[in-house]
Amino acid sequence: QVQLVESGGGLVQAGGSLRLSCAASGRTFSMYTMGWFRQAPGKERELVAAISSGGSTNYADSVKGRFTISRDNAKNMLYLQLNSLKPADTAVYYCAAAGAPYLVTTPQGYHYWGQGTQVTVSS
């Protein structure tokens, strides 16, 4: 069982930055692939970025070069650095854990979810 708690969301102007954090419980955090997803009103939940237990990463095309996913296994923490934010990035951002060591890119592959944190980017 893994419990996930996100923090760091907020309101920011276009071009600004935020850093999202996800605190995970459990002793096997390092074995999980972790992901950040987002969901805007009226849209499906989509992958933003994922990081495997070995550190391999995958990004949505819309965020490549702007967002960076990282993890600190010693602290059971997952991060998402959001730079050059755009109004289109406005959404609820969710942290998720997949019970697999390899990259997982679909929501269906993730077993544990946080409650989400709102990111709002004003123009």
Side-chain angles (χ1 to χ4, degrees):
Q1 188 78 8
V2 177
Q3 293 184 326
L4 305 170
V5 179
E6 302 98 333
S7 61
L11 173 63
V12 64
Q13 289 187 332
S17 297
L18 284 173
R19 188 192 195 204
L20 305 184
S21 298
C22 174
S25 66
R27 295 175 290 178
T28 57
F29 172 79
S30 62
M31 298 174 62
Y32 287 86
T33 281
M34 300 297 297
W36 286 99
F37 288 78
R38 67 185 180 187
Q39 188 166 20
K43 294 189 177 181
E44 293 186 353
R45 190 169 296 189
E46 63 174 359
L47 176 74
V48 176
I51 184 167
S52 71
S53 60
S56 298
T57 58
N58 180 279
Y59 293 92
D61 288 343
S62 59
V63 307
K64 282 181 181 177
R66 300 189 298 122
F67 292 7
T68 302
I69 189 171
S70 62
R71 64 191 299 166
D72 185 336
N73 290 335
K75 297 182 179 180
N76 279 16
M77 294 293 296
L78 178 72
Y79 304 101
L80 185 68
Q81 179 68 40
L82 295 74
N83 296 330
S84 303
L85 281 161
K86 306 175 181 179
D89 295 317
T90 295
V92 177
Y93 283 70
Y94 297 91
C95 169
Y102 47 84
L103 280 172
V104 180
T105 60
T106 61
Q108 294 78 7
Y110 286 79
H111 306 94
Y112 304 103
W113 293 84
Q115 82 288 350
T117 185
Q118 177 70 47
V119 171
T120 303
V121 184
S122 63
S123 57

